[in-house]
Amino acid sequence: MNQHSPNQLFKSMSPLSVHDIIHVWETGQNQHPLDKALTIISAAHPEIPRGELAKLTIGHRDKCLLELCERNFGSKLKGFAECPHCSEHLEVDMSTTEFRNLKDSSSDKNGDTLEYNIGDIKINYRLPNSIDLAAVAECKEVKSAYNLLVERCFVKAASNEKEITINQLSDDDIDKLAVYMTESDQQAEILLNLQCMACNHTWQITFDIVTFLWKEISDQARRLLQEVHTLAFSYKWREKDILTMSPVRRKYYLEMLT
Ligand SMILES: [Zn+2]
């Protein structure tokens, strides 16, 4: 990842083309969210092997997705939520400027070693990436997921300056470290404060950029295919030619059909 440091990735990112949008949508349909995220970033960076993108920490991955979301759909985002108190359906307006903490807090240090102390034990670990989370996703129990995550991301540990192995950590230490590890990638979490217009209830939700961006891409892909269908049906034009047209021209032809 040296030649493709996370910050360089964001700078060189261009919006997805209509072809990319449709390709991502048809490829990612039945993929796990971890793979969907990589499919989206791969479309923006086809020159980087997918295996390399999978090594981005989850925080850096999400930063990439947020950047891409902004470049394709603008900085004003619209989402929906249900009030947990009165079940009212709310429209949530968000601005990517609210997520600046996430975008600006990023260092350029993907995969750097971090430190966590439990009593006199000093543990060095790295932040989890997509490959780690995919491995952990297969665990059936939380306990085995914690163990695997720590095993994968553990770098070294010392107790009173004396090096110890991962096997010398207690179950309790492993649990603490696993929780800390997932929480310490602060860039990976965006919290939104919501208030219900109907009952004034306030609560907090986690904004999931993968789900959000996937929905935006799916909606746009379906809209594009609908346009292709209408124009191809009426004018007998080819899909490729319709998609190569500028959105303005496509819209003009569509308006003439209504
Ligand atoms: Zn409510």
Side-chain angles (χ1 to χ4, degrees):
M1 188 54 64
N2 287 342
Q3 70 273 41
H4 305 296
S5 74
N7 282 351
Q8 280 172 317
L9 274 187
F10 313 132
K11 283 185 196 128
S12 61
M13 196 170 271
S14 47
L16 299 176
S17 67
V18 288
H19 298 277
D20 293 336
I21 294 278
I22 293 174
H23 173 72
V24 165
W25 174 73
E26 68 185 340
T27 311
Q29 290 278 330
N30 298 316
Q31 287 180 339
H32 186 279
L34 283 166
D35 292 313
K36 276 192 172 85
L38 293 177
T39 298
I40 299 170
I41 303 176
S42 286
H45 282 290
E47 77 287 3
I48 305 177
R50 194 179 169 98
E52 282 298 306
L53 295 175
K55 289 181 198 161
L56 286 170
T57 66
I58 298 304
H60 279 129
R61 178 202 73 175
D62 287 359
K63 197 181 147 185
C64 252
L65 293 171
L66 194 61
E67 191 71 41
L68 208 50
C69 186
E70 201 172 53
R71 294 196 187 186
N72 275 272
F73 304 104
S75 58
K76 299 265 177 266
L77 311 177
K78 208 175 265 304
F80 296 92
E82 189 183 303
C83 172
H85 191 243
C86 73
S87 301
E88 175 84 2
H89 285 271
L90 307 172
E91 210 174 81
V92 184
D93 289 315
M94 298 165 281
S95 164
T96 47
T97 50
E98 291 171 41
F99 308 149
R100 285 291 158 197
N101 287 349
L102 170 121
K103 297 186 73 185
D104 296 341
S105 67
S106 162
S107 67
D108 204 12
K109 297 170 183 167
N110 192 55
D112 262 10
T113 303
L114 303 173
E115 194 179 296
Y116 180 58
N117 297 297
I118 309 174
D120 52 21
I121 302 174
K122 192 164 89 179
I123 303 165
N124 289 111
Y125 68 96
R126 62 172 178 80
L127 290 172
N129 59 34
S130 299
I131 308 169
D132 300 317
L133 293 198
V136 168
E138 296 190 359
C139 294
K140 298 221 165 15
E141 289 162 10
V142 177
K143 180 72 199 146
S144 48
Y146 278 180
N147 283 342
L148 185 60
L149 188 69
V150 168
E151 204 178 288
R152 294 184 63 95
C153 299
F154 177 88
V155 177
K156 61 178 183 175
S159 175
N160 290 320
E161 308 289 316
K162 195 167 167 283
E163 192 152 330
I164 57 169
T165 66
I166 190 169
N167 297 327
Q168 289 172 274
L169 296 174
S170 69
D171 281 358
D172 196 35
D173 292 344
I174 299 265
D175 291 355
K176 276 188 195 152
L177 179 58
V179 171
Y180 186 77
M181 222 180 242
T182 39
E183 286 175 356
S184 60
D185 197 0
Q186 288 171 353
Q187 295 161 34
E189 192 156 274
I190 304 174
L191 292 172
L192 296 174
N193 294 311
L194 300 183
Q195 183 170 19
C196 176
M197 304 296 274
C199 75
N200 283 333
H201 179 68
T202 56
W203 76 105
Q204 217 172 32
I205 55 164
T206 305
F207 175 72
D208 178 7
I209 182 66
V210 181
T211 309
F212 184 86
L213 184 53
W214 177 256
K215 187 174 179 308
E216 290 292 305
I217 288 175
S218 304
D219 289 351
Q220 197 186 348
R222 286 197 205 99
R223 268 197 309 274
L224 283 164
L225 293 182
Q226 180 63 50
E227 290 179 12
V228 168
H229 166 75
T230 308
L231 292 175
F233 191 77
S234 309
Y235 297 106
K236 314 295 176 219
W237 292 333
R238 295 184 311 163
E239 181 194 58
K240 189 165 165 257
D241 295 333
I242 296 170
L243 288 176
T244 313
M245 273 176 208
S246 70
V248 178
R249 199 191 292 193
R250 250 196 329 265
K251 187 166 170 266
Y252 194 74
Y253 283 125
L254 285 165
E255 278 170 5
M256 285 194 282
L257 289 175
T258 54

